[in-house]
């Protein structure tokens, strides 16, 4: 016998009016990942037979931004949650179950959903929460302990509004009943919407029991309607991520001042000072230390390397025992070897720097390759752009570039070459030689300095 079908439908067609944003609500990010992507990832973790996402407002931009193997279903008019699920009917198996999720409930986790599927069996599973302030939510109506209906806030009597047990919106429903139930929904209610919640009353008539499961923490089922709720869930997620990292041995100087917007892979004895933001995929070797106020995105940092405060790293790789910053900027394709030193106000882009080479002060290195144990003097600039094309600068091993050099690419500087301070180098430099490219200093003795006339 084949395993019963599991279909998942994510409702995400709503406008999100209270976000006051041109971006569709479900594309707003938590921990650097859009809310809808988070829900899709969690849905995927259950290995369902299908995932369908119902979209409406901002559907084009949602589809452009999210590349996931899901059925995209358009709901042209937002006539209610019941109507939204009805749009997905053609994608649901005749047997098995459908799990309904919301695109704006981003922190729902696999465990909760698995538990809900288990309690549902072949009947209905309903994820509930008990809230101090239930206002705005559908209330769970029980008779002799059994769930018999859900009443929306706007349709509720004063007595019903006093109920604190609420509907999170997350359901497991039996597929074989869905066509009948969804087609039977009426919109005779305060909002003139087709409420998915009304299937509970219909299930009563069909003697299909409802198995409620109370969510183990409210944030798991919390929806985002405005920027305040978005920020609250962001903090909860960040706190959790920080906790997990500390439990795995990472030293966070202050877990409340650490933000991970993506994933981190780390070794032992990693130390992260305050106000560090890690984005995308970041890999930190053993004994890496990151100073305060660093932003590091999609980068790999080798064992024993120190990133000093206020450095910005984007899509770069750094070897072992290197020292970067303070105030360094490593742009995409900066590839630094072991023991490299990059100091303050040094910008590196699309360049490889070999073992033990140093650029310690006020320098731009773009489209450059530097061999091993070379030193780039303070204030040096690789002039890589002629206004139309980018050109490469190749610097060999054990080269010493003097301070304040303009290295006009394309250029090859041989091994062990030295250039004089203040040189504008426009031609290749031979190995082992000193090259100077600047005018000789002279003093003009007969020169008279202009002075403003005195008015008194
Ligand atoms: C819904 C529930 C309510 C529950 C609450 C939890 C209903 C009738 N009410 O109310 O019991 O307490 O969620 O947050 O289900 N959507 C569509 N198409 C539509 C309407 C909604 O895709 O036509 C999507 C929205 O984008 C959203 C979700 O469904 O992701 C919920 O819609 P929303 O309007 O927020 O429902 P609530 O009024 O909050
Ligand atoms: Mg809502």
């Amino acid at each position: 016998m084949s395993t019963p079908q599991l279909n998942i439908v994510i409702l995400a067609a709503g406008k999100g009016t209270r976000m006051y944003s041109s971006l569709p609500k479900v594309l707003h990010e938590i921990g650097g990942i859009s809310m809808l992507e988070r829900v899709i990832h969690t849905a995927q973790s259950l290995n369902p037979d299908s995932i369908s996402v119902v979209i409406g407002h901002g559907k084009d931009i949602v589809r452009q931004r999210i590349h996931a193997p899901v059925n995209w279903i358009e709901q042209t008019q937002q006539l209610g949650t019941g109507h939204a699920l009805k749009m997905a009917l053609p994608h649901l198996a005749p047997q098995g179950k459908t799990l309904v999720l919301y695109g704006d409930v981003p922190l729902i986790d696999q465990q909760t959903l698995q538990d809900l599927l288990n309690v549902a069996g072949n009947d209905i599973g309903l994820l509930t929460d008990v809230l101090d302030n239930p206002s705005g939510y559908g209330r769970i109506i029980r008779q002799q302990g059994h769930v018999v209906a859900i009443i929306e806030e706007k349709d509720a009597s004063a007595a019903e509004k006093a109920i604190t047990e609420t509907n999170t919106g997350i359901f497991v429903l039996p597929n074989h009943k869905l066509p009948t139930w969804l087609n039977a929904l009426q919109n005779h209610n305060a909002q003139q919407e087709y409420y998915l919640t009304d299937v509970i009353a219909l299930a009563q008539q069909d003697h299909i029991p409802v198995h409620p499961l109370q969510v183990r923490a409210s944030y798991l089922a919390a929806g985002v309607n405005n920027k305040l709720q978005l920020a609250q869930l962001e903090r909860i997620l960040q706190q959790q991520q920080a906790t997990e990292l500390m439990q795995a041995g990472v030293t966070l100087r202050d877990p409340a001042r650490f933000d991970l917007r993506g994933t981190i892979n780390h070794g032992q004895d990693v130390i992260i000072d305050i106000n560090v933001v890690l984005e995308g995929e970041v890999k930190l070797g053993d004994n890496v230390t990151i100073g305060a106020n660093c932003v590091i995105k999609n980068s790999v940092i080798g064992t024993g390397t120190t990133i000093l405060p206020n450095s910005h790293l984007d899509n770069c790789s750094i070897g072992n025992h290197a020292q970067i910053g303070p105030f360094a900027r490593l742009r995409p394709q900066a590839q630094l070897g072991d023991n490299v030193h990059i100091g303050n106000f040094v910008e590196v882009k699309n360049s490889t720097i070999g073992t033990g080479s140093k650029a310690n002060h006020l320098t731009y290195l773009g489209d450059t390759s530097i061999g091993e144990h070379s030193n780039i003097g303070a204030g040096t600039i690789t002039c890589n752009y002629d206004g139309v094309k980018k050109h490469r600068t190749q610097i060999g091993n054990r080269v010493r570039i003097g301070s304040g050099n303009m290295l006009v690419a394309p250029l090859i500087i041989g091994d062990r070459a030295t250039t004089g301070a203040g040189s504008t180098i426009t031609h290749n430099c031979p190995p082992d030689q000193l090259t100077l490219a600047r005018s000789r200093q002279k003093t003009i003795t007969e020169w008279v300095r202009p002075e403003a006339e005195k008015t008194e």
Side-chain angles (χ1 to χ4, degrees):
M1 207 181 81
S2 62
T3 50
Q5 288 262 330
L6 172 61
N7 301 121
I8 298 183
V9 180
I10 302 171
L11 305 187
K15 190 168 182 187
T17 314
R18 285 165 289 167
M19 295 297 274
Y20 298 104
S21 170
S22 59
L23 193 67
K25 174 161 81 172
V26 292
L27 291 184
H28 286 264
E29 294 179 350
I30 297 215
I33 298 169
S34 73
M35 295 198 278
L36 181 54
E37 273 176 289
R38 284 190 174 276
V39 178
I40 291 174
H41 288 162
T42 306
Q44 284 169 332
S45 73
L46 296 166
N47 291 318
D49 295 284
S50 75
I51 298 176
S52 303
V53 184
V54 181
I55 49 175
H57 279 283
K59 63 181 169 27
D60 296 330
I61 173 160
V62 171
R63 291 202 54 173
Q64 268 166 30
R65 297 269 186 100
I66 297 185
H67 304 277
V70 300
N71 305 314
W72 294 105
I73 293 166
E74 197 178 328
Q75 185 195 25
T76 34
Q77 272 185 298
Q78 280 68 58
L79 301 180
T81 49
H83 180 258
L85 185 59
K86 191 170 148 181
M87 299 294 102
L89 270 179
H91 295 272
L92 307 181
Q95 300 296 325
K97 330 176 181 189
T98 291
L99 170 64
V100 179
L101 302 175
Y102 286 180
D104 59 359
V105 177
L107 298 187
I108 190 69
D109 67 347
Q110 185 190 357
Q111 184 63 55
T112 303
L113 297 179
Q114 196 58 63
D115 291 347
L116 187 65
L117 286 164
N118 293 345
V119 301
N122 296 320
D123 310 319
I124 290 182
L126 169 63
L127 192 67
T128 63
D129 195 9
V130 176
L131 297 172
D132 292 340
N133 174 12
S135 131
Y137 290 90
R139 307 300 207 281
I140 308 291
I141 311 296
R142 289 183 185 247
Q143 278 171 9
Q144 283 107 39
H146 299 291
V147 174
V148 292
I150 299 174
I151 305 289
E152 291 304 296
E153 164 97 14
K154 288 188 178 138
D155 304 294
S157 65
E160 287 163 342
K161 279 183 187 161
I163 296 170
T164 55
E165 189 182 16
T166 64
N167 170 31
T168 65
I170 294 176
F171 288 95
V172 175
L173 299 164
N175 284 355
H176 72 282
K177 283 290 176 192
L178 278 178
T180 325
W181 288 348
L182 295 176
N183 284 310
L185 293 178
Q186 300 288 323
N187 65 348
H188 306 147
N189 50 53
Q191 304 184 78
Q192 297 189 334
E193 284 184 5
Y194 295 92
Y195 291 164
L196 180 56
T197 43
D198 285 350
V199 301
I200 301 297
L202 294 172
Q204 275 303 107
Q205 294 164 18
D206 286 352
H207 307 290
I208 297 202
V210 177
H211 306 285
L213 174 73
Q214 191 181 332
V215 70
R216 64 181 197 280
S218 289
Y219 75 84
L220 292 166
V224 170
N225 293 309
N226 56 41
K227 299 279 172 74
L228 175 66
Q229 291 166 337
L230 185 74
Q232 285 166 339
L233 291 194
E234 176 78 30
R235 278 306 104 207
I236 288 169
L237 177 76
Q238 292 301 345
Q239 198 180 26
Q240 280 179 349
Q241 294 183 149
T243 302
E244 282 169 24
L245 285 174
M246 292 185 294
Q247 281 166 345
V250 174
T251 300
L252 295 178
R253 294 285 187 224
D254 181 359
R257 285 179 291 171
F258 168 74
D259 285 82
L260 173 60
R261 300 179 191 153
T263 53
I264 174 175
N265 179 313
H266 62 85
Q268 267 194 342
D269 295 306
V270 166
I271 299 175
I272 300 179
D273 209 332
I274 60 167
N275 295 333
V276 167
V277 179
L278 303 182
E279 297 181 47
E281 286 179 34
V282 173
K283 197 166 176 214
L284 308 176
D286 292 342
N287 294 297
V288 166
T289 298
I290 299 176
N293 306 318
C294 289
V295 177
I296 302 178
K297 181 177 179 181
N298 292 325
S299 294
V300 179
I301 301 178
T303 300
T305 286
T306 299
I307 313 293
L308 292 163
N310 299 297
S311 295
H312 190 280
L313 281 58
D314 181 5
N315 278 281
C316 63
S317 69
I318 305 173
N320 303 330
H321 305 289
Q323 187 173 311
I324 310 299
F327 296 97
R329 180 163 184 218
L330 303 185
R331 289 172 53 201
Q333 311 319 319
Q335 295 179 317
L336 280 46
D338 296 344
N339 299 301
V340 164
H341 285 196
I342 296 294
N344 42 232
F345 308 109
V346 174
E347 174 180 346
V348 183
K349 182 215 79 172
N350 190 29
S351 294
T352 56
I353 303 184
T355 303
S357 288
K358 296 176 182 172
N360 269 328
H361 326 270
L362 299 158
T363 285
Y364 173 59
L365 299 170
D367 306 304
T368 300
S369 60
I370 301 177
E372 300 184 352
H373 305 290
S374 289
N375 189 71
I376 310 298
T380 290
I381 289 172
T382 52
C383 311
N384 58 330
Y385 187 47
D386 59 15
V388 181
K389 284 188 180 155
K390 302 277 171 70
H391 302 279
R392 288 201 72 83
T393 301
Q394 283 172 257
I395 299 175
N397 299 323
R398 298 187 187 277
V399 169
R400 292 184 195 162
I401 301 292
S403 294
N405 274 213
M406 296 294 128
L407 304 176
V408 183
L411 203 56
I412 299 174
I413 299 180
D415 291 345
R416 297 170 305 280
T418 301
T419 64
S423 290
T424 296
I425 304 286
T426 54
H427 295 96
N428 293 348
C429 299
D432 298 299
Q433 310 291 318
L434 169 65
T435 300
L436 295 172
R438 62 187 190 210
S439 60
R440 183 175 292 277
Q441 179 169 330
K442 59 186 171 189
T443 301
I444 299 165
T445 47
E446 63 275 23
W447 183 70
V448 181
R449 182 164 71 176
E451 299 285 359
E453 271 176 43
K454 285 200 175 140
T455 47
E456 296 164 81

